Amino acid sequence: MLVLALMQQGPVDEDVLVTQTGCQFPCNPGPVVSVQPDDVWYEHVDPDTARALVAEYLVRAQILETQRLPRARRPLG
């Protein structure tokens, strides 16, 4: 679904790399999309969310707060 949304929007291969992975933790709110190196994660990604993610985040750099997966980082050390 994300690949189809990207194809419709038109970014080229140098802009986006889509990689299927196993669980990156968390897995329960899946399907999950992580955008790197931004470390922005989206949960419960369905086809409509995938289209919005491409149009709003990847093209316009606007985070989709309604689908954003909160991430808690532990300090290193």
Side-chain angles (χ1 to χ4, degrees):
M1 70 186 136
L2 188 60
V3 173
L4 292 175
L6 285 166
M7 290 170 56
Q8 292 170 349
Q9 190 65 41
V12 294
D13 290 344
E14 295 86 34
D15 296 332
V16 176
L17 173 65
V18 176
T19 304
Q20 181 175 342
T21 68
C23 180
Q24 296 179 348
F25 298 103
C27 300
N28 293 337
V32 172
V33 171
S34 70
V35 182
Q36 302 303 329
D38 301 346
D39 198 33
V40 176
W41 294 61
Y42 292 100
E43 63 184 346
H44 304 293
V45 177
D46 59 17
D48 290 335
T49 303
R51 284 188 286 277
L53 192 154
V54 169
E56 296 301 320
Y57 186 73
L58 297 180
V59 174
R60 295 185 192 89
Q62 299 295 313
I63 292 177
L64 302 173
E65 291 296 340
T66 58
Q67 296 298 128
R68 189 170 187 184
L69 178 63
R71 301 282 291 167
R73 289 184 169 222
R74 295 181 184 160
L76 297 175

